[in-house]
């Protein structure tokens, strides 16, 4: 499918998806979706208003009781069909992701497969929402705990994994018996709209999944969080916006799950298998061109091997083929938009001005397209902004350390706590350091942690709650305790 265009998706909705059908925005508004490789307009989609948001909650409300009462096995079958249809259309989905997000097809294919897996996993989990039964310690009664769907869920997702961040929420929500309104990122609404079509075709009843592209995201999400029928917010995005939404959700005490920003350390000890560490570094840094919350953001390498690591990482980074994501041989596509590439450029310039050495890359090629060269920076000074902020681009800053205690201190010196990576041949050290690292996830001799069967999430200011695994469904269930005498 080398010459992919939107014409090949005649069933792609370009309007709001509410109550199982397409609707134009209440004020007729639309907004453009831009191709990051050319800066040209791909198409325009309906721009949801506050009135549309309430209409979407109406639709989710109308479907809620029926969906919650649907047999778990039936909900499981619908999710299983969603997995199968998504898998059958994974090539189209990958091209669409690549077109609107910019990521290389190889990454988009990986995402399409990963995203579909959440439907398979939660099809399997839907029939396992068990409760508890015990005798009260006093012996006076039984303690019975049942798990019930939390209610209508508002799902807000980012542009960097437009399919997977949506399915990681829709899968467990539907398995638990909740109905949802999804507000996708404005840079990437098309992927979410195609998924609305796929879920509809798989038999998801009208109103169970509603998709509301909206550029006025603040007003639209706020209106839903102040509607008393909404009981759940699941947000994936920046910590900055997460803080705003936690405050908004406080007004109606809405249950919140938050997957926020990261600043992942990638620690390489002197005894590490360096070849394996380089393989892991390329995945942890370059999956999605660096636009991942799990992206290695700070490389801490033991002083004995830091020079060799920097040289060899730079060789690999310099060899990457940069180009439009939809070209089959591209390994690194453009970043998603102008702001993102400008931020990466600022961070690199700041790091260089502070004394970092450019080992490879370091610049923005001439346009069109939001490209940035794969870059390695060595000798990055401790105070540099690039070590505090999420880079979200193809840049690897390297800092040398002297001993284990210093590595742990440096790695934990951040308000974020999503994921950490550790490379060592000494398993005892690896486990000791894994325990000491302040993050929700650790990749030990691995550059990739994401797995639909594992609890994904952060500590500190990287988030609240977990997505994926058994825990992911608990975020959409509430415990009801019945004290019973029989
Ligand atoms: P963002 O916070 O700018 O936007 C995320 C979503 O929130 C989008 O849908 C956006 O339209 C919406 N939004 C923005 N302002 C809002 C407001 N005031 N009220 C309501 N909604 C609002 O994030 P982004 O730039 O789309 O994505 C990148 C960020 O997401 C990074 O910080 C990255 O680390 C994070 N992320 C985290 C995870 C995770 O699982 N922890 C996964 C992927 C991305």
């Amino acid at each position: 499918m080398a010459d992919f265009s939107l014409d090949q998706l005649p069933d792609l909705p370009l309007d709001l998806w509410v109550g199982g059908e397409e609707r134009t925005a209440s004020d007729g508004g639309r907004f453009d979706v831009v191709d990051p490789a050319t800066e040209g307009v791909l198409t325009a989609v309906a721009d949801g208003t506050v009135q549309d948001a309430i209409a979407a909650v109406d639709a989710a409300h109308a479907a809620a009781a029926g969906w919650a009462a649907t047999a778990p096995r039936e909900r499981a079958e619908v999710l299983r069909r969603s997995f199968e249809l998504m898998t059958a259309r994974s090539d189209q989905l990958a091209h669409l992701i690549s077109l609107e997000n910019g990521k290389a097809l190889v990454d988009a294919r990986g995402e399409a497969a990963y995203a579909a897996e959440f439907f398979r996993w939660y099809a399997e989990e839907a029939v396992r929402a068990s409760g508890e039964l015990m005798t009260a310690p006093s012996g006076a009664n039984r303690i019975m705990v049942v798990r019930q769907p939390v209610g209508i869920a508002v799902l807000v997702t980012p542009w960097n994994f437009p399919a997977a961040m949506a399915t990681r929420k829709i899968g467990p929500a539907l398995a638990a018996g909740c109905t949802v309104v999804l507000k996708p990122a404005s840079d990437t609404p098309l992927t979410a709209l195609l998924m609305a079509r796929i879920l509809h075709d798989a038999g998801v009843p009208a109103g169970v999944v509603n998709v509301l592209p909206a550029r006025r995201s603040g007003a639209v999400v706020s209106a839903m969080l102040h509607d008393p029928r909404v009981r759940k917010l699941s947000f994936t995005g920046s910590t900055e916006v997460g803080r705003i939404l936690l405050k908004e959700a406080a007004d109606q005490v809405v249950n919140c799950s938050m997957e926020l920003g990261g600043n992942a350390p990638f620690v390489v000890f002197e005894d590490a298998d360096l070849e394996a560490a380089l393989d892991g570094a390329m995945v942890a840094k370059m999956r999605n061109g660096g636009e991942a919350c799990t992206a290695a953001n700070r490389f801490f390498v033991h002083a004995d091997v830091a020079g060799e690591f920097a040289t060899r990482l730079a060789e690999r980074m310099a060899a990457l083929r940069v180009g439009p994501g939809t070209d089959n041989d591209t390994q690194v596509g453009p970043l998603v938009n102008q702001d993102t590439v400008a931020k990466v450029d600022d961070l690199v310039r700041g790091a260089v001005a502070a004394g970092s050495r450019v080992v490879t890359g370091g610049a923005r090629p001439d346009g069109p397209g939001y490209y940035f060269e794969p870059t390695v920076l060595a000798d990055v000074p401790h105070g540099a902004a690039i070590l505090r902020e999420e880079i979200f681009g193809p840049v690897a800053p390297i800092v040398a350390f002297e001993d284990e205690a210093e590595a742990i201190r440096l790695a934990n010196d951040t308000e974020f706590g999503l994921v950490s990576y550790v490379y060592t041949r000494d398993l005892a050290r690896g486990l000791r350091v894994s325990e000491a690292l302040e993050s929700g996830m650790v990749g030990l001799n691995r550059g990739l942690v994401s797995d639909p069967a594992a609890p994904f999430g952060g500590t500190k200011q990287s988030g609240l709650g977990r997505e994926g695994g058994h825990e992911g469904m608990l975020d959409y269930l509430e415990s009801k305790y019945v004290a019973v005498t029989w």
Side-chain angles (χ1 to χ4, degrees), residues 45-85:
V45 298
D47 187 1
T49 62
V50 164
Q51 199 182 323
D52 296 321
I54 299 307
V57 175
D58 289 343
H61 181 66
W67 185 246
T70 302
R73 175 69 74 206
E74 209 173 307
R75 295 202 299 263
E77 299 289 349
V78 168
L79 283 167
R80 175 73 202 190
R81 280 198 299 278
S82 304
F83 161 72
E84 281 160 7
L85 268 184

Side-chain angles (χ1 to χ4, degrees), residues 156-161 165 168 183-186 214-215 217-219 221-222 235-242 244-245 258-262 292-294 390 392 418 456-458 462 467:
V156 182
T157 50
W159 47 261
N160 66 337
F161 288 95
M165 296 304 96
R168 202 164 76 174
K183 208 297 288 167
S186 305
R215 213 170 19 184
S217 45
V221 174
S222 174
F235 172 76
T236 297
S238 60
T239 297
E240 193 187 349
V241 174
I244 296 172
L245 293 183
M258 294 280 168
E259 294 286 351
L260 308 177
C293 54
T294 50
E390 240 183 335
F392 247 61
L418 189 60
F456 185 107
S462 285
E467 291 192 322

Side-chain angles (χ1 to χ4, degrees), residues 384-399:
I386 204 164
L387 301 178
R388 285 196 311 275
E389 292 184 29
E390 240 183 335
I391 305 168
F392 247 61
V395 181
I398 301 177
V399 177

